Every structure is written in structure tokens, then in C-alpha cells.
Amino acid sequence: GYGLEVGLVEEISRLNNVIGLKDSSGSLQYIMEVTRVLGRDLSVLVGYDEITIPALMFGAKGAILASANVIPEVLVEAYEKVISGDYEGALSIHERIYELTRIIARYGGILPAKLGLKVRGLDVGPARSPLKACDLLKAEISNSIGMAVKMALSSTP
């Protein structure tokens, strides 16, 4: 399975200093199960960009994401749509940002996020080692990142 067994998470959640769980497994099924069992006692945060909006719709309370560095205003809009019950609007945003979140999830977050920021006009410099050695990856995804960021920032899917 993915992540810690739900029973173990339930035990750990009883500790006074545990208030949440960040799950980066990418398993929407796991997040759904943890929130179903522990949603009232534990804040579940999604850490896998590609499933963020569906995870929020199924009970995750927030997210910690590389894509939030690149398109924060879009993710805030999606979050607000989910908490207001506008699931259709949230899913529309999910479709719009899916390519960007897919690239970020598949290629490890940091390098795609830096490339995405550069597309937005914010050059945050090169990655440090060992990611610095990823020039081949950079060349492979830089065009895709550019198109994905533009799509994510557009107002239509």
C-alpha cells in the first residue's frame, strides 16, 4: 500500500503534538481513506501536485506543493472554489493546471518549479547539486513547462 497504515496513523494522531499528516504518495485512494477515518482529528495535507484538487475535494485540508511556487494565485483560486462547494469550477482549474502538475510530479518538483518560475519572469538561479547535473532533464522539459505554465495561467481549459 501507500503511506503509513491508517491504523498506525490513527495511533500516532492521538499524540498531543501531532496535528496533521502530509502525504506525498500520489494516492488519492490513501488520502480518501485517511480523511474518512481521521478527518475530524487530523489535518491531511496533500504533497503530490497532480492530485491536489481532487484530494481537497475528498477531504484534504491543504497542500504543500512545488507548483504553488509557480502558480500560487491559481491554486488559491482552486482551494477557494473547493471550500465554497464549486466543484465544477475547481475541476475546470484542475484540467487547466494538470499538465504543469503532471510535469512537476514526474520530474521531482524542484527543477520544474525553477523552470516554471523562469517562464513567469522570475529567475531564481540554478539548482544546487545533485540537481545541478540535470541539464539533460532541463532541456527535455523546458518547452513543455513553458506551454504548461501558460495553460495554467489561462482563464479557459
Side-chain angles (χ1 to χ4, degrees):
Y2 294 98
L4 300 171
E5 293 297 323
V6 176
L8 178 59
V9 173
E10 189 172 18
E11 256 183 75
I12 292 169
S13 73
R14 292 189 195 116
L15 298 172
N16 290 336
N17 60 344
V18 175
I19 61 169
L21 167 75
K22 176 191 176 200
D23 177 68
S24 297
S25 71
S27 171
L28 185 56
Q29 180 182 6
Y30 179 75
I31 288 177
M32 289 169 57
E33 182 64 12
V34 171
T35 57
R36 184 186 68 77
V37 173
L38 297 167
R40 293 182 184 196
D41 302 322
L42 191 69
S43 292
V44 178
L45 304 176
V46 63
Y48 196 83
D49 302 66
E50 202 170 354
I51 65 165
T52 300
I53 294 170
L56 290 169
M57 292 169 69
F58 283 106
K61 298 294 185 218
I64 300 172
L65 308 167
S67 59
N69 293 286
V70 182
I71 53 167
E73 68 276 29
V74 178
L75 289 165
V76 167
E77 181 186 357
Y79 177 81
E80 289 172 347
K81 286 187 181 303
V82 170
I83 61 172
S84 73
D86 180 5
Y87 290 171
E88 188 175 318
L91 285 174
S92 176
I93 294 171
H94 175 73
E95 290 172 12
R96 215 172 71 215
I97 69 173
Y98 184 75
E99 183 62 16
L100 177 61
T101 60
R102 184 190 67 76
I103 292 169
I104 287 173
R106 296 295 190 283
Y107 292 101
I110 296 169
L111 186 57
K114 285 179 170 278
L115 291 170
L117 286 166
K118 192 169 187 175
V119 167
R120 294 207 64 186
L122 185 61
D123 189 348
V124 294
R128 58 186 171 91
S129 292
L131 295 177
K132 189 175 186 176
C134 293
D135 285 335
L136 291 175
L137 174 63
K138 183 177 176 181
E140 179 183 330
I141 66 171
S142 56
N143 284 341
S144 299
I145 284 284
M147 289 186 291
V149 168
K150 287 175 184 146
M151 173 60 89
L153 294 171
S154 72
S155 59
T156 58

